[in-house]
Amino acid sequence: MNYRVPQPVPQVILDDVRGAQKMLSGVSRVTAMEGSRHLSSLTGSPVHLKCENLQRTGSFKLRGAYVRIAGLRPEQRAAGVVAASAGNHAQGVALASSLLGVRSTVFMPVGAPLPKVAATQEYGAEVRMHGQVVDETLAAAQDYADRTGAVFIHPFDHRDIIAGQGTVGLEILEQCPEVRTILVGIGGGGLAAGVAVAVKALRPDVRVIGVQAAGAAAYPPSLKVGHPVSIDEPVTMADGIKVGRPGDIPFRIIGELLDDVRTVSEDALSSALLLCLERAKLVVEPAGCSTVAALLSEPELYGGGPVVAVLSGGNVDPLLLQRILRHGMAAAGRYLSLRLRVADRPGALAGLLAVLSGVDANVLDVSHVRTDPRLGLTEVEVELHLETKGPEHCAEVARKLHAAGYKVMS
């Protein structure tokens, strides 16, 4: 990355991260590091997955939340804490507060997935639903803090949060000392900033690369102008990194220490989620697998030594997971939709299905159109949705249909 931010780096240093690691001993898990043969073959370098999706509460957020709340003065703890989140930060604050005996209130948007709301309550927080978007929820939480004296726990823009998240970087260096590149997702920037502080202090030769969803990529334009800028209406399925403006403290650290920031498409995110599920047997949310999406999108950038991709979280709503899996299968060429015309007579559909059966294509759905004025009197249009084995299989299906005399319209 060619951009360098002129402001001095905030005082988040290696000793802060090491102190956080001691504080988190027995609280957060030292999450597993899993190798990926498929991603290794794509990049030409060993690829390891740092499984923060298996962390307590299902994401790295517990680390920073616990360090932040543990650092409060007694009178601050007595006043309680408040947070705003649609999911991972909410659960991290709720569990950290319960472990430390601090009362917590978490504001969540009205449309937050029910499993995340239930989990936050079960971890001990009082949940208040407010607003349709996170900005409205955030304003409500800040207003609550002003009225009650509760301490607002920011999801990423605080030095204690960054120090806690940086313990992920220390674990990576301990688990994979030969690492040459670390990929980490970026929303507000707390995790990436913390990892960069820890890693660059100990191993300045290791590349640390951030990854953002293309529809919510506030860092590239911010780094270009040298200060945080907002993007209007960020749009991405990766709600964990759907942040419209970089945090002030993480921004300065990232501008100074990160080697690059890459962006990934929605297709790449859904394909990455599908790969994690099928190949690694890991349930990872879209934000959590943004690093895998980067490897799939530009594997040639990550040769030259071992790569560690941080899987930052695994909290995904089952209904969203179902939609994403369908999208991921389509992006990977595993679904094929087509229209063709057949004779409107008994046995015509059976003949078509026999051709598809012969090429081992699984028919998911069939629909007929008989009333289109473009159709002849003896024709019917058939729309098919097929499950295939990939792009090559799709091409084979098309060839077989053409050889059998069918004209595929789409």
Side-chain angles (χ1 to χ4, degrees):
M1 182 164 53
N2 297 321
Y3 311 122
R4 285 293 179 261
V5 180
Q7 297 96 328
V9 177
Q11 291 303 306
V12 182
I13 60 175
L14 178 61
D15 284 347
D16 296 324
V17 183
R18 284 178 164 160
Q21 188 176 45
K22 292 179 181 178
M23 190 179 296
L24 288 167
S25 177
V27 176
S28 64
R29 295 172 181 156
V30 177
T31 51
M33 187 89 77
E34 299 287 345
S36 172
R37 182 179 300 176
H38 179 71
L39 292 172
S40 298
S41 67
L42 287 179
T43 62
S45 296
V47 174
H48 306 278
L49 306 176
K50 175 62 171 167
C51 300
E52 282 296 289
N53 59 309
L54 303 179
Q55 184 58 261
R56 296 178 72 179
T57 74
S59 88
F60 71 95
K61 289 288 190 177
L62 172 66
R63 297 174 184 262
Y66 188 91
V67 173
R68 173 75 171 101
I69 297 169
L72 296 178
R73 300 187 303 273
E75 64 272 20
Q76 291 177 309
R77 292 195 187 195
V81 299
V82 61
S85 169
N88 290 346
H89 181 58
Q91 294 173 64
V93 168
L95 179 56
S97 299
S98 294
L99 293 173
L100 291 164
V102 176
R103 184 179 71 256
S104 63
T105 303
V106 175
F107 284 77
M108 302 183 77
V110 173
L114 293 179
K116 294 185 179 183
V117 175
T120 303
Q121 292 172 325
E122 289 170 8
Y123 286 130
E126 176 190 349
V127 173
R128 300 192 180 191
M129 310 302 293
H130 185 92
Q132 298 297 323
V133 296
V134 174
D135 285 345
E136 296 173 353
T137 308
L138 181 63
Q142 291 175 325
D143 178 68
Y144 178 89
D146 293 338
R147 289 188 290 104
T148 66
V151 179
F152 179 69
I153 307 300
H154 199 283
F156 49 81
D157 207 7
H158 193 279
R159 64 189 305 271
D160 290 343
I161 295 286
I162 294 169
Q165 320 305 30
T167 59
V168 174
L170 294 181
E171 289 179 15
I172 290 172
L173 294 182
E174 292 164 2
Q175 293 171 304
C176 186
E178 68 278 14
V179 64
R180 300 296 300 169
T181 302
I182 297 173
L183 288 165
V184 57
I186 302 182
L191 176 61
V195 169
V197 167
V199 171
K200 290 296 187 178
L202 294 169
R203 289 281 306 280
D205 59 303
V206 174
R207 291 192 303 166
V208 182
I209 296 176
V211 183
Q212 290 207 287
Y219 266 89
S222 298
L223 291 166
K224 189 171 184 177
V225 300
H227 60 83
V229 297
S230 299
I231 58 173
D232 295 331
E233 298 182 5
V235 178
T236 177
M237 69 176 76
D239 56 353
I241 53 174
K242 186 180 177 181
V243 178
R245 183 186 184 279
D248 292 330
I249 300 175
F251 175 77
R252 291 195 289 270
I253 296 173
I254 285 170
E256 181 67 25
L257 297 181
L258 249 66
D259 295 280
D260 201 358
V261 175
R262 312 299 297 181
T263 61
V264 294
S265 68
E266 298 298 285
D267 280 353
L269 286 168
S270 57
S271 294
L273 187 149
L274 183 62
L275 183 143
C276 287
L277 189 61
E278 286 192 324
R279 297 296 185 95
K281 313 306 181 216
L282 292 169
V283 176
V284 186
E285 63 190 276
C289 64
S290 61
T291 53
V292 175
L295 291 170
L296 292 175
S297 301
E298 300 175 294
E300 68 280 359
L301 297 182
Y302 305 105
V307 178
V308 172
V310 179
L311 305 181
S312 58
N315 293 316
V316 56
D317 178 61
L319 294 177
L320 176 61
L321 178 61
Q322 185 181 42
R323 294 198 299 270
I324 293 172
L325 287 176
R326 287 199 300 264
H327 189 271
M329 291 182 73
R334 300 274 295 278
Y335 284 146
L336 177 62
S337 297
L338 49 84
R339 292 182 300 116
L340 42 79
R341 294 177 183 177
V342 300
D344 191 7
R345 57 177 174 75
L349 180 59
L352 171 61
L353 296 179
V355 173
L356 296 173
S357 175
V359 75
D360 202 25
N362 185 34
V363 179
L364 300 175
D365 187 50
V366 180
S367 61
H368 297 75
V369 176
R370 287 189 169 88
T371 57
D372 192 317
R374 293 172 296 178
L375 292 171
L377 291 175
T378 60
E379 287 182 320
V380 60
E381 186 173 285
V382 177
E383 184 173 356
L384 296 161
H385 299 280
L386 310 175
E387 181 183 1
T388 69
K389 301 172 185 177
E392 292 183 1
H393 192 203
C394 289
E396 183 184 1
V397 170
R399 287 196 300 270
K400 290 291 186 181
L401 288 172
H402 179 75
Y406 294 99
K407 182 179 180 181
V408 178
M409 301 168 62
S410 63

